[in-house]
């Protein structure tokens, strides 16, 4: 497998995983790196897959960016069962590895949070471990972010946690908590592992 693998998870659903993954993918491609982003499993809307596909210059069809999509807005395992379907860890891994053979960097976005059930026998943590992926933990930068982020780090195996970074998504208006969270997190996790994502107007993201 040739590609560097990054996995994007978050402290909750709807925290900015897709935005960060899309920005990273576009940034790497602007610098001439053959990067692509995948959302292997999704449920409810298929918007994430479309955004990631666009961020990578549409080099892959949606069916490869997001091979498993289920209609119910539930954890993917349950959404799949409602369509009498099953996704297994070995299938998801095989797909990601096949794509990774053709690119320099592959960013994989989970669905929901670290332990949200993605398929019959796996969640995002299982993918991170099996892929030995570098992990980004996306969290809204607000009061409570330190605890939420550290809980995710606690849930990661030690080797994965040691290579993981935090992405704090800036609020529209910074407050005392958002200004001091990066320092508190750096004290616990070490320097150089806290990334700050600026606040972006929602309309700019979908334009
Ligand atoms: Mg998303």
């Amino acid at each position: 497998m040739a590609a560097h693998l990054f996995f994007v998870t978050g402290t909750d659903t709807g925290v900015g995983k897709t935005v960060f993954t899309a920005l990273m993918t576009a940034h790497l491609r602007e610098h001439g790196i053959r990067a692509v982003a995948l959302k292997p499993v999704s449920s409810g809307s298929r918007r994430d897959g479309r955004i990631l596909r666009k961020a990578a210059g549409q080099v892959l069809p949606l069916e490869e960016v997001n091979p498993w999509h289920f209609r119910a807005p539930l954890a993917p395992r349950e959404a799949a069962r409602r369509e009498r379907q099953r996704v297994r860890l070995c299938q998801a891994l095989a797909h990601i590895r096949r794509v990774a053979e053709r690119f320099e960097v592959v960013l994989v976005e989970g669905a929901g949070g670290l332990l949200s059930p993605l398929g019959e026998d796996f969640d995002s943590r299982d993918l991170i471990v099996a892929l030995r992926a570098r992990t980004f933990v996306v969290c809204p930068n607000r009061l409570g972010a330190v605890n939420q982020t550290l809980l995710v780090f606690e849930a990661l195996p030690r080797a994965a946690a040691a290579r993981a970074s935090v992405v704090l998504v800036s609020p529209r208006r910074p407050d005392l908590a958002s200004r001091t969270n990066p320092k508190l997190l750096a004290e616990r996790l070490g320097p150089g592992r806290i990334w700050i994502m600026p606040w972006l107007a929602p309309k700019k993201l979908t334009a």
Side-chain angles (χ1 to χ4, degrees), residues 106-161:
V106 177
L107 294 110
V108 181
E109 185 191 342
L114 186 70
L115 303 182
S116 301
L118 298 186
E120 281 306 303
D121 56 352
F122 70 102
D123 53 31
S124 288
R125 179 168 62 184
D126 296 312
L127 286 175
I128 289 166
V129 170
L131 295 167
R132 297 187 185 182
R134 275 186 184 274
T135 304
F136 288 104
V137 179
V138 179
C139 183
N141 189 3
R142 60 188 176 209
L143 189 62
V146 172
N147 172 62
Q148 289 172 351
T149 303
L150 294 177
L151 283 173
V152 174
F153 271 72
E154 288 288 325
L156 283 170
R158 194 170 295 180

Side-chain angles (χ1 to χ4, degrees), residues 96-115:
I96 296 165
R97 287 174 175 147
R98 260 199 311 276
V99 172
E101 284 168 11
R102 293 141 56 192
F103 293 90
E104 290 174 87
V105 173
V106 177
L107 294 110
V108 181
E109 185 191 342
L114 186 70
L115 303 182

Side-chain angles (χ1 to χ4, degrees), residues 12-207:
D12 199 355
T13 189
V15 292
K17 296 191 305 287
T18 307
V19 175
F20 173 73
T21 310
L23 288 173
M24 268 288 278
T25 306
H27 174 76
L28 292 168
R29 293 186 70 85
E30 277 169 21
H31 285 77
I33 296 164
R34 285 186 298 119
V36 76
L38 303 179
K39 173 105 182 177
V41 186
S42 71
S43 50
S45 162
R46 211 175 184 182
R47 187 167 164 265
D48 285 8
R50 292 196 183 93
I51 291 171
L52 297 183
R53 177 169 183 252
K54 216 170 157 184
Q58 310 195 357
V59 290
L60 291 178
L62 186 60
E63 289 63 36
E64 271 193 275
V65 173
N66 175 217
W68 292 283
H69 172 254
F70 306 104
R71 286 186 298 276
L74 298 168
R77 183 192 295 169
E78 181 59 24
R81 285 175 179 171
R82 283 170 183 244
E83 297 178 30
R84 298 178 187 281
Q85 295 197 55
R86 302 268 190 272
V87 186
R88 300 206 165 271
L89 177 61
C90 60
Q91 294 175 283
L93 289 175
H95 176 73
I96 296 165
R97 287 174 175 147
R98 260 199 311 276
V99 172
E101 284 168 11
R102 293 141 56 192
F103 293 90
E104 290 174 87
V105 173
V106 177
L107 294 110
V108 181
E109 185 191 342
L114 186 70
L115 303 182
S116 301
L118 298 186
E120 281 306 303
D121 56 352
F122 70 102
D123 53 31
S124 288
R125 179 168 62 184
D126 296 312
L127 286 175
I128 289 166
V129 170
L131 295 167
R132 297 187 185 182
R134 275 186 184 274
T135 304
F136 288 104
V137 179
V138 179
C139 183
N141 189 3
R142 60 188 176 209
L143 189 62
V146 172
N147 172 62
Q148 289 172 351
T149 303
L150 294 177
L151 283 173
V152 174
F153 271 72
E154 288 288 325
L156 283 170
R158 194 170 295 180
R163 285 154 38 92
S165 300
V166 182
V167 179
L168 288 172
V169 181
S170 300
R172 184 173 189 170
R173 292 185 187 82
D175 60 13
L176 194 54
S178 68
R179 283 193 290 267
T180 50
N181 282 338
K183 181 171 154 280
L184 274 178
L185 278 168
E187 280 172 16
R188 278 291 296 267
L189 301 173
R193 300 174 69 185
I194 320 295
W195 297 34
I196 308 291
M197 193 167 92
W199 187 80
L200 300 167
K203 62 180 178 186
K204 286 183 187 161
L205 304 174
T206 50

